[in-house]
Amino acid sequence: MKKKQLIPFCLPLMICFISISNPSYPQNQENKIVNKHMIKPNIFLIPDYGCNVIVIVGQEGLLIVDSGYKRFSMKLDSVISDISNLPRKYILNTHFHVDHVSGNKKISDGTADIIAHDNARKRMLSEWNVPDVQGRNVRVIPPYPEDFLADICLNDSLVLFFNNDNIQAIHFTDAHTDTDVVYYIRKANVMLAGDLFFSNGFPIIDIYYGGTIDGCMKAIDKILDICDSNTLIIPGHGMPSNRRGLVLYRNMLSESISRIHKLMEQGKTLKQVIDSDPLGDIYEGDSSWVPEDVFIHTVFNDLSGK
Ligand SMILES: [Zn+2]
């Protein structure tokens, strides 16, 4: 594969993702985040079990945001126990995708109440089955048994008082999916953005389960309205970031979408758009976690109403 040059637009983006990370962030030799990290007093990030998992230690127990993949849940369980053996009070889900919820049963430990959007519970009662993407086989996820599902469902918003802080849950109707909830920990000034933000490349947008490009952009704008320059923003995947990182991410999305749209207006087919490599200068080589052709496939299908 030819070495791709970064355009000036994305250079600050990449620098930003590096420089805005907590400087004390522990990293192993593969430059991967290790195990768990305290991002604020009593708030921990566990990054390597499918998605970014957050643990808040309160006086009476633990509040955990997302539960990763089921296949990693034994290990995640022991990392959480290592943080604290206090009872688990709440599991909050950011949306219904398998990499965020399939550890729910194990991580809730029979004690925690699972909280998610109403649509997440509904979606998890049926199988998740999307068409293959650019020749990649997408695994069908069967319906979940009752003990993986939310005990408490929210609709538009919810405020949860925990650990002398208040956590504001806000739903977005048609963004990454139609089940998205972001959690803003007000006093600690930490925004848990779920998959409305990927700090490691192009996003996945689940257009088959209520997600839209337009809804994603609107959701990001709303998150930016809530955050200030000191807010720590935790994406669903990738390194911790901040408001400036999210602004750059929004700019990257907007630029990418407009390039794809321009080619579509010229009458190009999906294959022709992908072959012309319109986003090849945005992330070098395979540095985006989600490959360029997968993202183009999503944007093309969404904009053409498929
Ligand atoms: Zn997702």
Side-chain angles (χ1 to χ4, degrees):
M1 184 181 287
K2 79 176 162 51
K3 194 88 174 160
K4 292 168 183 167
Q5 291 296 312
L6 285 169
I7 56 169
F9 152 75
C10 73
L11 195 57
L13 179 81
M14 307 220 26
I15 290 168
C16 183
F17 285 158
I18 295 161
S19 63
I20 60 186
S21 309
N22 186 327
S24 67
Y25 223 85
Q27 303 197 331
N28 67 14
Q29 281 151 347
E30 287 87 49
N31 211 28
K32 236 176 134 195
I33 301 160
V34 177
N35 206 349
K36 62 180 182 286
H37 182 71
M38 190 162 82
I39 51 172
K40 292 270 175 157
N42 297 317
I43 304 180
F44 295 81
L45 167 64
I46 308 174
D48 285 336
Y49 298 91
C51 64
N52 283 327
V53 173
I54 294 291
V55 178
I56 308 177
V57 182
Q59 281 137 359
E60 314 132 43
L62 306 184
L63 180 151
I64 298 159
V65 181
D66 282 339
S67 61
Y69 275 119
K70 186 179 175 187
R71 65 177 182 273
F72 298 145
S73 58
M74 294 286 278
K75 182 77 174 68
L76 176 62
D77 185 62
S78 80
V79 176
I80 294 171
S81 297
D82 204 31
I83 292 171
S84 167
N85 269 320
L86 284 170
R88 298 178 189 175
K89 290 205 75 175
Y90 301 107
I91 307 281
L92 313 185
N93 287 151
T94 57
H95 62 294
F96 82 114
H97 280 157
V98 63
D99 51 335
H100 294 253
V101 304
S102 59
N104 275 1
K105 181 182 173 185
K106 175 74 185 161
I107 302 307
S108 62
D109 200 24
T111 59
D113 283 326
I114 302 169
I115 301 179
H117 190 266
D118 207 21
N119 290 347
R121 186 182 164 90
K122 285 183 195 148
R123 292 290 196 196
M124 287 170 72
L125 287 166
S126 313
E127 72 175 18
W128 181 80
N129 189 352
V130 300
D132 288 352
V133 183
Q134 296 308 116
R136 292 171 184 85
N137 208 261
V138 182
R139 188 164 58 99
V140 174
I141 307 296
Y144 294 83
E146 182 67 31
D147 40 14
F148 287 76
L149 304 177
D151 304 294
I152 301 167
C153 291
L154 69 116
N155 209 297
D156 290 329
S157 64
L158 173 85
V159 180
L160 197 64
F161 293 89
F162 188 82
N163 191 34
N164 297 320
D165 207 326
N166 66 80
I167 299 167
Q168 195 181 355
I170 307 156
H171 168 57
F172 294 99
T173 50
D174 56 351
H176 170 67
T177 64
D178 61 6
T179 71
D180 302 304
V181 178
V182 301
Y183 298 98
Y184 178 53
I185 312 166
R186 189 172 287 278
K187 279 193 214 162
N189 199 7
V190 178
M191 172 64 79
L192 309 178
D195 282 5
L196 297 174
F197 184 19
F198 288 68
S199 67
N200 56 359
F202 299 116
I204 290 170
I205 298 169
D206 190 345
I207 57 174
Y208 305 103
Y209 287 83
T212 66
I213 305 282
D214 190 47
C216 274
M217 300 304 278
K218 286 182 179 144
I220 292 168
D221 286 340
K222 171 81 180 170
I223 295 169
L224 287 171
D225 280 348
I226 298 168
C227 296
D228 61 35
S229 58
N230 294 316
T231 309
L232 182 62
I233 306 181
I234 309 296
H237 302 270
M239 295 286 275
S241 187
N242 61 12
R243 193 176 188 284
R244 179 168 152 67
L246 187 55
V247 168
L248 290 168
Y249 175 75
R250 190 202 186 284
N251 293 346
M252 180 280 288
L253 280 187
S254 165
E255 168 69 17
S256 301
I257 293 160
S258 107
R259 290 187 198 179
I260 296 165
H261 188 236
K262 219 171 266 173
L263 292 168
M264 290 172 71
E265 282 184 331
Q266 292 164 18
K268 301 249 195 278
T269 63
L270 172 59
K271 184 176 182 322
Q272 287 169 332
V273 174
I274 289 172
D275 287 348
S276 70
D277 192 20
L279 314 179
D281 55 348
I282 291 182
Y283 286 100
E284 190 174 2
D286 344 326
S287 60
S288 171
W289 186 58
V290 172
E292 179 187 342
D293 64 332
V294 170
F295 178 60
I296 294 175
H297 175 108
T298 307
V299 175
F300 189 99
N301 284 325
D302 186 25
L303 296 182
S304 57
K306 284 184 183 162

